[in-house]
Amino acid sequence: NQTEFRGLVLWLEDQKIRHLKIDDRAGLRQVNTPDWDKQFQSYLNSLECPKLTRREETIDWLLGLAVRLEYGDNKETYSKHNTQNVDMNGGGGDKPKLIHSNPLDNLDFTSPEFVAGVDKLADFLNIPKHPDHLITLQAVASFISTRLHPAAIQDPTSVIPEGQPFDLKANGSSNGGQQNGDIGMMEAAQILRLLHINDLRLLQTRINESIVSVQTVTANPKTDTRLGKVGR
């Protein structure tokens, strides 16, 4: 409330900021007078406080100033507790310990056991492995999230792509004129082209869905024959 706010301002000036002389703080000490806001504004101007509209912003600025001044007055004391000094002292008993509530935070994603686990998952799901095991893990996660969620398990046909299989060997000549003699490279280029086409189709579908959503807001097909017009 207002009294607590004024009291906090006075405490910061008395104990931490100490910008005014003791006698000049008399206006701030009179926290119950109607003239306090005027004294406070004059105090902010003397501190060169930026123009702030909310009380919370003003008190946050004053707290930041108080912390900066406190650190400046006791720099040697506070410098003893920075990360560099704590590490140089062998950790010490005052070094804070971070306790993770998420068990995944304690995993070593580069350990041989983790890499072997990713490879086993990829083999079990019949997913080709990438030299970078983390990319393989992304592929595994994508497959599980799209094909093994409860709705997909209940109705597998809902997530199986529709359409006829595309025979790369039968269509090997349609490689955009890039005949280089490397069959593997040609097939990889065809796969990338097909994936790009699929992405374009998904993008078009989302654009169409967005258009329909906007039309449901802007269009009004209701007809009022009494008014002799259609819509609003």
Side-chain angles (χ1 to χ4, degrees), residues 20-91:
L20 301 176
K21 296 180 180 179
I22 296 179
D23 294 338
D24 295 337
R25 301 173 192 170
L28 294 178
R29 297 187 190 282
Q30 300 175 2
V31 295
N32 295 321
T33 61
D35 196 41
W36 189 90
D37 289 332
K38 183 178 179 180
Q39 296 291 336
F40 179 56
Q41 187 59 50
S42 176
Y43 172 64
L44 293 178
N45 293 337
S46 66
L47 291 173
E48 297 182 356
C49 174
K51 185 174 292 186
L52 303 172
T53 57
R54 299 174 56 206
R55 178 182 295 180
E56 293 82 359
E57 296 173 339
T58 303
I59 202 64
D60 184 69
W61 186 88
L62 289 174
L63 287 170
L65 175 62
V67 170
R68 186 167 69 251
L69 294 174
E70 174 69 18
Y71 177 78
D73 292 341
N74 302 278
K75 187 175 181 179
E76 294 183 359
T77 301
Y78 292 116
S79 295
K80 296 178 181 178
H81 302 285
N82 60 24
T83 305
Q84 183 178 1
N85 288 337
V86 170
D87 292 338
M88 290 177 61
N89 293 330

Side-chain angles (χ1 to χ4, degrees), residues 103-152:
L104 295 179
D105 292 336
N106 298 320
L107 289 178
D108 182 3
F109 297 101
T110 60
S111 65
E113 294 82 2
F114 184 84
V115 176
V118 173
D119 290 342
K120 286 183 180 180
L121 276 175
D123 292 336
F124 179 76
L125 298 173
N126 198 24
I127 294 176
K129 285 178 277 189
H130 190 274
D132 187 346
H133 67 283
L134 295 179
I135 296 179
T136 303
L137 181 60
Q138 291 179 354
V140 170
S142 177
F143 180 84
I144 293 175
S145 62
T146 56
R147 297 293 186 92
L148 298 181
H149 56 81

Side-chain angles (χ1 to χ4, degrees), residues 198-208:
N198 184 65
D199 289 342
L200 291 177
R201 288 176 176 173
L202 291 176
L203 177 61
Q204 184 62 55
T205 299
R206 291 171 182 171
I207 292 174
N208 293 339

